[in-house]
Amino acid sequence: MAAPAVSLLLLFVAVPFVASIGFSLYNVRLGDPRDPSFMGLTQYVRILTDPDVSGQFLDALLHNLIFAAVVVPVQTALALALALLVKKNIPGIGIFRSLYFLPVVFPIALVAIIWRLILARGDEGLLNSALTFFSGGTFGSQDWLGSELTALASVIVLSIWQGCGFQMVILLAALQQVPAELYEAAELDRANGWQRFVHVTLPGVRTTLVFVALYTTILSLRVFDQIYVLAKSGGGLNEDATRTVMYEAVTAAFDENNIGRASAISVVFFLIVVVLSLIQRRVTTEKEG
Amino acid sequence: MAQTTASNPKISRRELRSRIPHYAALLVTGLLFLAPVAYMVAASLAPASDTLAGFTVFDVTQWGLHNYSGVASSLSSDSTGHLWRFFAVSFTVTVAVVGLGLIVNSMAAYALARLSWRGRAVALLAILLILIVPFEAVAVPMFYLYNDARNTLWIQILPFIGNALSIFLFYSFFTGIPRSIDEAARVDGAGPWRIFWQIIAPMSKPAYASVAILTFLTQWGSFLWPVLMISDPNLRPLPLQISVFAGQLPPAWGQVMAFGVLLVLPVIVVFLVFQRWFIEGVASSAVKG
């Protein structure tokens, strides 16, 4: 009974995964009449040290790390705040729960296009019109996606907007499982709101918080769609300030027809995902123990 | 709701007053989450304009449906692709991946969780290993390996049917079902197939619902793989098409936003109809996982 799923996984995950390790050692190109030549670890050495290539790759790696370092704590904290906000069953709360979850059903390619209009440069963008209007013109128009300073931040904002509701729902389910007696006992002990949050709520949802953070870390390392749409479909995104590792892999394969280098980038990407997940798991389990 | 509030003596006027800041916080955050969606809908109804329109799109007196008819007429030739075909491709791919995935992955999970066979331990270990390989890490080698299958429907479907995460979610659900149930059925002469289809699968509706929802959301928004594999406008799924449509010069933003509304509308309808399942399904699978 396991045969269909196992053979599909072999064909579309295991074989390509092993192949990527193989390809990364060769000079592989699509439609090249010559046989690929063996290069050993040259692709890896180049993406890490060759000044023509490594600059872009290391930038991409840095952007991935900044993205994860901001998105993971901010999105998790925001999701927890939203979950606390919609936890109590008061009239109309269902509407708000749906409202915060709504962006989750938006494909990220569409999210990128909507935000491209909101963040457009000049007075055309919704955000710029709003800022000019509310500041009475003292705060001028910004090129949010084009400027080196704000490009990555813009991508972070739209990614959090889309992803936050998902984490909120998971944390809401965890919050609802915290026994009410604990809150009543805390109240008897005259704990104030903050003390109840620190001593009852946080310990009660700790495992879920760890899971959410881990999951968000892996997702944030995989970031690709929104950057590709904004950079390639006329979004005016500052490519140099936002490229990520997956973006590098796809451009190496697609635009430069360098499957060998793209495979090496994919292998490095996979190793980073594994190492960061292991570190994160170790840190969180140590805290628990 | 108002009645229960009035008839419930526990809710005092003081408590009602304390809810005002709570509702205010809900409303402000709700508006932040709603604003980009509202902007998309408003821009899709606003008069056609090739420049971005900022705030003026909210002028209700100017609203009309011409952007929607505009999308239908601008996407109606073989060179641009046909609007109905983008939907047909996305629907076919999503329904096939969700439907076949539910069958194949739940069968595999059943075999792993409740049958004893040679190689079971190895298969289980392999699934757990595959769980940490993100699709992004194999996209590039797959792009090379399956290059002959570019611009086909099956290459959009087949790689996503077998899914280690789905197997894992089913597996953890199935291991929670008491063993005595299959034993009783086996005494009555039922084989593993009958036990699975007639007893275990019907008992596991929550697991099926949450896996279906997660797969549906991921597949409906799928972007990276179509970017690599699909260039034929007659085989493009919706998320890829909207990025192509938005990148055209000059961009017709009203039509792009109308296309965006059409792209997300089926998901929102599914979301509203299955709201309870949607949120509970996502929450329960994640809290378990």
Side-chain angles (χ1 to χ4, degrees):
Chain A
M1 281 171 99
V6 169
S7 40
L8 284 169
L9 285 174
L10 279 177
L11 207 56
F12 294 109
V13 184
V15 170
F17 182 68
V18 175
S20 73
I21 299 172
F23 291 164
S24 69
L25 306 175
Y26 285 84
N27 178 22
V28 186
R29 280 167 201 282
L30 263 178
D32 192 340
R34 287 164 305 171
D35 281 338
S37 52
F38 185 73
M39 297 177 77
L41 295 176
T42 316
Q43 302 281 20
Y44 294 93
V45 175
R46 287 197 65 194
I47 57 175
L48 293 173
T49 58
D50 182 335
D52 291 340
V53 188
S54 69
Q56 276 197 17
F57 176 77
L58 296 175
D59 275 354
L61 198 55
L62 181 68
H63 299 149
N64 261 122
L65 295 177
I66 297 174
F67 187 86
V70 177
V71 167
V72 176
V74 172
Q75 187 172 318
T76 310
L78 190 60
L80 182 61
L82 288 179
L84 287 167
L85 208 53
V86 296
K87 187 187 144 200
K88 206 168 172 191
N89 270 317
I90 53 175
I93 201 69
I95 298 170
F96 290 102
R97 284 181 190 164
S98 306
L99 210 55
Y100 302 144
F101 190 75
L102 186 63
V104 177
V105 307
F106 278 62
I108 194 81
L110 173 59
V111 171
I113 291 168
I114 299 173
W115 281 81
R116 177 227 180 289
L117 298 186
I118 293 173
L119 300 170
R121 74 171 81 87
D123 295 329
E124 300 168 330
L126 184 66
L127 182 61
N128 280 335
S129 327
L131 287 175
T132 315
F133 178 78
F134 287 116
S135 70
T138 48
F139 194 86
S141 291
Q142 309 288 313
D143 185 5
W144 300 103
L145 293 166
S147 152
E148 202 181 323
L149 285 171
T150 50
L152 189 57
S154 301
V155 176
I156 287 173
V157 168
L158 68 90
S159 307
I160 290 178
W161 177 78
Q162 196 262 353
C164 198
F166 192 82
Q167 269 89 337
M168 174 203 78
V169 165
I170 298 165
L171 288 167
L172 180 62
L175 282 175
Q176 284 166 342
Q177 285 168 4
V178 178
E181 299 91 70
L182 290 180
Y183 286 103
E184 283 158 20
E187 212 147 342
L188 284 179
D189 291 343
R190 301 187 179 208
N192 62 29
W194 176 249
Q195 287 167 329
R196 269 177 283 165
F197 174 73
V198 172
H199 296 291
V200 181
T201 310
L202 275 186
V205 297
R206 169 173 268 166
T207 14
T208 312
L209 267 180
V210 169
F211 165 78
V212 165
L214 202 70
Y215 184 79
T216 319
T217 308
I218 292 172
L219 280 189
S220 66
L221 291 173
R222 293 161 62 173
V223 55
F224 168 79
D225 295 4
Q226 55 270 55
I227 296 189
Y228 190 87
V229 170
L230 288 169
K232 301 270 174 169
S233 308
L237 182 69
N238 186 328
E239 205 182 338
D240 290 332
T242 52
R243 67 174 87 247
T244 60
V245 174
M246 267 322 292
Y247 185 82
E248 275 301 289
V250 171
T251 26
F254 212 47
D255 299 351
E256 298 168 39
N257 189 11
N258 195 335
I259 306 288
R261 190 201 302 157
S263 297
I265 294 174
S266 300
V267 173
V268 173
F269 165 72
F270 171 74
L271 291 176
I272 296 166
V273 171
V274 171
V275 168
L276 277 182
S277 321
L278 287 178
I279 292 175
Q280 202 174 26
R281 185 155 287 180
R282 166 147 304 179
V283 168
T284 46
T285 43
E286 262 174 17
K287 264 188 200 156
E288 272 173 20
Chain B
M1 284 302 197
Q3 260 183 342
T4 55
T5 311
S7 62
N8 189 343
K10 271 189 176 170
I11 294 181
S12 60
R13 189 169 293 177
R14 200 170 62 104
E15 176 140 9
L16 276 179
R17 208 173 298 146
S18 79
R19 276 184 189 169
I20 292 173
H22 191 179
Y23 275 114
L26 284 168
L27 211 63
V28 171
T29 26
L31 280 176
L32 284 176
F33 274 78
L34 189 64
V37 182
Y39 183 59
M40 173 185 73
V41 175
S44 80
L45 295 166
S49 146
D50 38 319
T51 54
L52 299 165
F55 268 134
T56 56
V57 298
F58 292 105
D59 181 359
V60 186
T61 55
Q62 306 269 319
W63 280 5
L65 288 173
H66 50 270
N67 283 322
Y68 290 85
S69 49
V71 175
S73 60
S74 42
L75 297 177
S76 61
S77 77
D78 282 341
S79 57
T80 58
H82 299 266
L83 184 61
W84 68 270
R85 283 207 64 126
F86 303 125
F87 275 91
V89 169
S90 269
F91 268 113
T92 314
V93 171
T94 307
V95 168
V97 169
V98 172
L100 295 171
L102 286 180
I103 297 172
V104 162
N105 295 315
S106 66
M107 271 167 47
Y110 175 74
L112 289 168
R114 308 181 78 90
L115 300 178
S116 48
W117 40 285
R118 270 188 67 175
R120 194 190 74 108
V122 178
L124 189 59
L125 186 68
I127 302 289
L128 292 176
L129 282 176
I130 286 176
L131 206 54
I132 54 173
V133 183
F135 172 72
E136 285 79 356
V138 293
V140 165
M142 256 170 60
F143 160 67
Y144 183 77
L145 288 174
Y146 300 105
N147 191 51
D148 292 342
R150 292 191 63 140
N151 291 316
T152 58
L153 209 49
W154 70 265
I155 200 63
Q156 300 187 60
I157 296 170
L158 223 48
F160 304 100
I161 295 174
N163 184 318
L165 179 65
S166 305
I167 296 179
F168 182 72
L169 294 173
F170 278 124
Y171 175 83
S172 50
F173 195 90
F174 292 161
T175 43
I177 298 174
R179 284 256 169 199
S180 51
I181 289 178
D182 334 17
E183 274 151 28
R186 203 168 300 140
V187 171
D188 291 342
W193 286 93
R194 270 194 60 193
I195 296 176
F196 176 60
W197 290 116
Q198 297 190 343
I199 300 168
I200 302 294
M203 283 178 73
S204 309
K205 281 187 192 130
Y208 279 91
S210 51
V211 171
I213 288 159
L214 288 174
T215 318
F216 179 82
L217 282 181
T218 320
Q219 197 55 50
W220 190 255
S222 162
F223 184 77
L224 168 60
W225 188 236
V227 160
L228 291 170
M229 298 305 276
I230 309 295
S231 52
D232 180 352
N234 285 307
L235 286 157
R236 260 184 223 142
L238 291 163
L240 177 57
Q241 174 56 29
I242 197 171
S243 79
V244 173
F245 196 40
Q248 274 169 356
L249 288 173
W253 289 117
Q255 290 188 20
V256 173
M257 290 295 97
F259 190 92
V261 172
L262 295 174
L263 158 61
V264 82
L265 209 56
V267 203
I268 291 183
V269 170
V270 173
F271 168 58
L272 290 177
V273 173
F274 297 104
Q275 199 172 1
R276 269 181 65 89
W277 279 24
F278 229 92
I279 292 186
E280 276 172 21
V282 169
S284 69
S285 65
V287 170
K288 277 193 124 189

